[in-house]
Amino acid sequence: MTFTLHFSSDQACDVSISGGKGANLAILTQKDFPVPTGFIITVSGYQKWIPNDECIRAAIAQFDYENPGLLKTQANQLITELKDIPLPEELTHEVITCLNEYPADSCFSVRSSSNLEDLADAAFAGQHETFLNCRGEDEILARIKDCYLSLWSDRAVAYRQKQGFNQSHVSMAVVIQTMIACEVAGVGFSIDPVGGDLNRMIIDANYGLGESVVSGEGEIDHFVIERSTRQIVEQSIGEKKSKIIAVTTGTEEVRISKEESEAPCLSSNQLKEVADLMIQVEECYAFPQDIEWGFLN
């Protein structure tokens, strides 16, 4: 295959091929971490989609970074032009072939994975699109294209400019990953990313899928964990009003009970499990890490 790689492929660990998110998922898979299965549409797929990038080069030359309103208009004009370009037949065929390896009723997340993502000095958090609980070939193929288009949103363009990246050097891989319908999910940091305390770990969590945490919308639970003992040293239990769950047609935000709202969504044992996992991932990379995690029933 030319445009797709499974997480188990050695090539998939290369950021220039799989983008930052895809490469990290491949590395963690091959290190035997509990990563939901999936595959990557490599950056060559994006490059095949746009064999002639003249319209992109012309748009880049006109981008007005000093005028956010105009930049948004310019980025939207470029996206409108790119929307009319169909996905290559070869790419479509490979994606369908990979999807056919899974049960027919499987659902997936479709996640952008830029070649500039997840770098030490540029995370691109929230700049590119992710779609949850996608089902069927048509929807997944449409979401792949949406991930490509998100590379040229005004937010992504402005962020690259701020970080000093050459707009012409950006490309996009896409991760197709089996969905896990988590009861609780969130993010974790192996060191305190704000205070810089190396002895404290941070865990943010909410009921349902992790999107309610990473989006920054609504109240969540916040835990500070002492690294050596894995004990809670501080916690802030948010007044959680809703959670995001997987439904047949995607995701849905649902209300939670008053009892759930007022209680921590993670037990002390679960917090210890997340803390242990963060340290294992940090040791794998030999550098402080942030992770996404989730618990089933």
Side-chain angles (χ1 to χ4, degrees), residues 4 7 10 32 35 38 64 70 96 98 102-103 111 123 137 146 156 159-160 166 172 181 194 217 222 238 244 278 286:
T4 55
F7 290 170
D10 290 342
D32 294 324
V35 177
D64 188 338
L70 179 56
I96 292 172
C98 288
Y102 296 86
R111 313 176 70 189
E137 298 168 2
D146 287 338
Y159 186 77
R160 289 195 294 270
N166 188 323
M172 180 68 81
V194 177
E217 299 177 4
H222 176 79
I244 296 175
M278 285 195 289

Side-chain angles (χ1 to χ4, degrees), residues 15-282:
V15 173
S16 68
I17 294 173
S18 301
K21 190 180 282 92
N24 281 320
L25 288 169
I27 290 169
L28 292 171
T29 295
Q30 294 175 36
K31 296 288 186 180
D32 294 324
F33 284 96
V35 177
T37 58
F39 61 95
I40 299 156
I41 303 164
T42 66
V43 296
S44 61
Y46 172 84
Q47 293 160 355
K48 179 72 173 179
W49 177 59
I50 307 180
N52 180 358
D53 65 352
E54 184 177 341
C55 65
I56 293 177
R57 287 186 280 111
I60 291 171
Q62 297 298 318
F63 283 153
D64 188 338
Y65 302 108
E66 303 301 319
N67 186 333
L70 179 56
L71 179 62
K72 183 172 184 176
T73 298
Q74 293 170 327
N76 287 342
Q77 288 173 343
L78 174 58
I79 289 172
T80 298
E81 289 186 59
L82 296 178
K83 277 182 179 178
D84 292 332
I85 304 175
L87 293 178
E89 288 185 11
E90 308 98 303
L91 187 154
T92 297
H93 175 74
E94 285 196 29
V95 171
I96 292 172
T97 299
C98 288
L99 291 174
N100 286 339
E101 298 174 6
Y102 296 86
D105 60 350
S106 296
C107 54
F108 300 86
S109 61
V110 181
R111 313 176 70 189
S112 301
S113 181
S114 165
N115 61 329
L116 300 179
E117 276 184 17
D118 291 346
L119 304 177
D121 56 351
F124 280 86
Q127 304 302 321
H128 304 132
E129 291 287 4
T130 287
F131 302 93
L132 302 180
N133 213 43
C134 301
R135 298 170 184 264
E137 298 168 2
D138 291 343
E139 182 181 7
I140 290 169
L141 290 168
R143 298 291 82 81
I144 290 168
K145 190 171 178 180
D146 287 338
C147 286
Y148 287 165
L149 295 173
S150 74
L151 194 63
W152 297 105
S153 72
D154 59 304
R155 290 182 306 162
V157 168
Y159 186 77
R160 289 195 294 270
Q161 170 69 10
K162 181 180 178 181
Q163 295 295 324
F165 291 123
N166 188 323
Q167 303 282 3
S168 300
H169 293 170
V170 67
S171 194
M172 180 68 81
V174 179
V175 172
I176 311 295
Q177 192 172 21
T178 51
M179 277 290 300
I180 304 296
C182 296
E183 288 296 313
V184 183
V187 297
F189 301 85
S190 65
I191 64 170
D192 182 346
V194 177
D197 191 333
L198 302 180
N199 296 312
R200 291 191 168 191
M201 312 170 78
I202 306 298
I203 298 173
D204 291 334
N206 195 6
Y207 300 109
L209 304 178
E211 185 67 15
S212 61
V213 178
V214 299
S215 68
E217 299 177 4
E219 298 264 349
I220 59 172
D221 292 346
H222 176 79
F223 303 92
V224 181
I225 308 298
E226 207 284 322
R227 184 183 183 92
S228 60
T229 64
R230 314 290 202 270
Q231 298 298 307
I232 302 171
V233 292
E234 293 179 23
Q235 68 177 23
S236 172
I237 306 305
E239 190 178 344
K240 306 173 291 295
K241 297 183 182 301
S242 63
K243 62 182 177 180
I244 296 175
I245 63 170
V247 294
T248 303
T249 56
T251 61
E252 181 180 335
E253 186 174 357
V254 298
R255 301 285 293 183
I256 61 175
S257 68
K258 187 174 187 297
E259 182 182 8
E260 280 185 307
S261 174
E262 295 175 349
C265 61
L266 287 174
S267 68
S268 57
N269 284 339
Q270 288 175 318
L271 287 166
K272 183 180 182 301
E273 284 188 60
V274 176
D276 287 343
L277 180 61
M278 285 195 289
I279 289 178
Q280 292 167 20
V281 174
E282 183 185 89

